[in-house]
Amino acid sequence: MEEIHQAIKLMEQERTEEAIDTLESFLPQANEEEKFTIAELYMQWGMLEEAKFILIELSQQHPNEAELKIMLAEIYIDLEDDEAAMNILNRFSPNDEGYLEVLIQLADLYQAQGLYEVAEQKLLEAKNMDPMEYLIDFALGELAFSNGEYQKSIPYYEKVLLDRPQIADVDVSIRLAEAYASTGDFEQALEFYQESGHDDADILFRYGFIAFKGDRLDISIKVWEQLIENDPYYHSVYYFLAQAYDNEGMVNEAYETAKKGLNYDDFNKELYYLTGVLAHRLGNQEESFQLIKKAVSIDPGYLEAVLFLIENYKQAQNDQAIIELLTHLIELGEEDGYYKWELAKAYKETESFNDALNMYSDAYNNFKEDSDFLKEYGHFLVEEGRIEEAIKILSQYLHLEPADNEIEEFISRLKQNDDWM
C-alpha cells in the first residue's frame, strides 16, 4: 500500500501526473484489496474509464459481491451509459445485499428516462423495506415534485423535514414552500419561506413573488426591499416591487423604484412601460410618452404600449402623432389590423381622405365580421360619395346587427337616392 499512499500525497501536492503514473506502475502487481482502493481513487479523481476496467475485473472474480456491482453501476451512470447500469442493477434480487440502494439507483435511472410510474414503484418497494429511511421519502417527494404532483410531494417532504432540514443542496423548507404555492395554499407557503430564513437572492425573489400572488403585498414589499438592499443588481425585482407599491397606492414609491430599475435593466420593455404609465399618473406627460416610446422601440409589436400611446395622443388631439407612430410601425412590418383602423381614423381627422380610404380598405380584411368597424367604414364611404360600396358594407353590418332599424332605413334611402341611381 506504500505506493498508493505515495500517490495520494502527490495528488494532494497537485502533482497529478506523478500520482497517476505511480498508480499505473503499481497496478499490475497490486492485490485485490489494493486494486479496489485504486479504483476508488480513480473514481474520486474523475478517471471513470480506468476505474471501470478495474471493477469489471474484480466483479468477474467475485460475481456475488454487491458493492462491486453497485460501484460499477454508479460509474456507468456517470458515464451516461444508463442501459449498462440498469443491466447490472436489474440482476439484483430482494435477498441480495445492497438491494435497498439498488432500488434507489434504479428509481433515479427510470426517472431520468421519464418512466415516472416505474421509478415510483421502485421507491415504494424501497420504502416497504425501510419505512423510516428519510432519503427514500425525499426521493419520493422529489419524484412527485418534478412530475408536477405537488400535493402528493408534500407529506414526503414534511416527513423528511422532521429529520433533515437540508439534503445535499436542497432546502426542504423551500421545497415545501414551492409545493404549497403550486397548490394555491399561499399562506402555508409563506410560512415555510419564513421558516427557511434564507437571504439567497433567488429565494427572496421567489418568496416575494409568492406573497404577491397571495395578495400579501406587505410581505412582498418587505422581502423585495431586503433583496434590493442585499443586491441592487438583481434587476428582475424592480418591476414587481414597483407593481406592489402601486397596488398599495404608493405611486411615488412605485415610480421611483421602476425608474431606478431602468439603471440596471435598460432593455426591459415592461419596465419602461410601467415607468411611463406611473409618470403619466403623476402628471409627467412628456416623460411618460418618451418612456413608452422607448418600450415600443425595443419591441415594435408591444401592443399594450402602442395602444397607450394612441389613446393618449387622442386625448391630446394629436392625430399627426398617431399617424407618425403607426406608419412607422407598419413600415417595420407590424401588420396588426387595429393599427390600420386607427390610422384610417387619424387620416380622416386630418382630412387626408384618400389615405383614410386606403387604410379602411386594408383594415377591412381583418374586421369584416366586426359590426363597429363596418358601420364606421360604411358611413365614411357615404361621406366620400362612394354610395354603392357604402351600401355593400352597411348591408354586411345589418347582417350582423339585424335589429338596427336606423341603418336599415338609411340603406333604403341610399338606394332611393336619385344621384346614386
Side-chain angles (χ1 to χ4, degrees), residues 190 204-205 207-213 215-229 237-251 253-254 257:
L190 293 175
L204 286 175
F205 178 76
Y207 181 9
F209 187 73
I210 295 303
F212 187 85
K213 288 180 67 177
D215 202 28
R216 288 299 307 271
L217 300 180
D218 55 327
I219 296 176
S220 294
I221 290 171
K222 181 180 178 180
V223 170
W224 283 336
E225 285 177 340
Q226 180 187 342
L227 171 53
I228 286 177
E229 183 178 346
V237 72
Y238 290 94
Y239 176 81
F240 293 101
L241 178 55
Q243 281 193 318
Y245 280 135
D246 188 32
N247 291 350
E248 285 287 79
M250 304 165 69
V251 182
E253 290 84 350
T257 298

Side-chain angles (χ1 to χ4, degrees), residues 18 24 27 53 59 140 163 165 214 226 229 277 329 352 356 396 402:
E18 292 179 63
E24 288 180 346
L27 186 59
F53 288 119
S59 293
L140 282 163
D163 290 295
Q226 180 187 342
E229 183 178 346
V277 170
L329 292 177
S352 301
Q396 291 178 26

Side-chain angles (χ1 to χ4, degrees), residues 142-180:
E142 289 286 90
L143 177 63
F145 189 90
S146 67
N147 201 29
E149 298 177 289
Y150 302 109
Q151 190 66 53
K152 190 174 182 178
S153 73
I154 289 171
Y156 294 122
Y157 285 134
E158 288 182 334
K159 186 174 180 182
V160 172
L161 192 60
L162 296 174
D163 290 295
R164 295 289 189 281
Q166 184 157 335
I167 296 179
D169 59 347
V170 176
D171 187 310
V172 181
S173 292
I174 297 299
R175 277 288 198 270
L176 275 166
E178 288 295 314
Y180 273 114

Side-chain angles (χ1 to χ4, degrees), residues 277-295:
V277 170
L278 292 167
H280 177 76
R281 286 166 56 191
L282 290 170
N284 304 328
Q285 305 305 332
E286 188 56 38
E287 181 187 16
S288 172
F289 285 137
Q290 293 304 317
L291 288 164
I292 293 179
K293 283 195 285 188
K294 177 65 175 178

Side-chain angles (χ1 to χ4, degrees), residues 327-367:
T327 52
H328 177 64
L329 292 177
I330 291 171
E331 286 171 0
L332 291 175
E334 296 298 322
E335 293 293 333
D336 193 294
Y338 183 77
Y339 294 172
K340 295 176 181 178
W341 186 359
E342 288 296 333
L343 191 50
K345 294 177 185 179
Y347 277 134
K348 179 184 174 184
E349 291 299 321
T350 59
E351 299 185 355
S352 301
F353 298 119
N354 286 334
D355 291 327
L357 179 62
N358 289 334
M359 283 300 109
Y360 273 122
S361 178
D362 285 349
Y364 171 76
N365 292 323
N366 296 98
F367 297 105

Side-chain angles (χ1 to χ4, degrees), residues 122-140:
K122 297 298 180 184
L123 289 174
L124 290 174
E125 185 179 352
K127 186 170 177 61
N128 286 333
M129 290 182 64
D130 190 351
M132 303 307 295
E133 176 53 62
Y134 68 88
L135 284 175
I136 300 173
D137 286 302
F138 178 71
L140 282 163

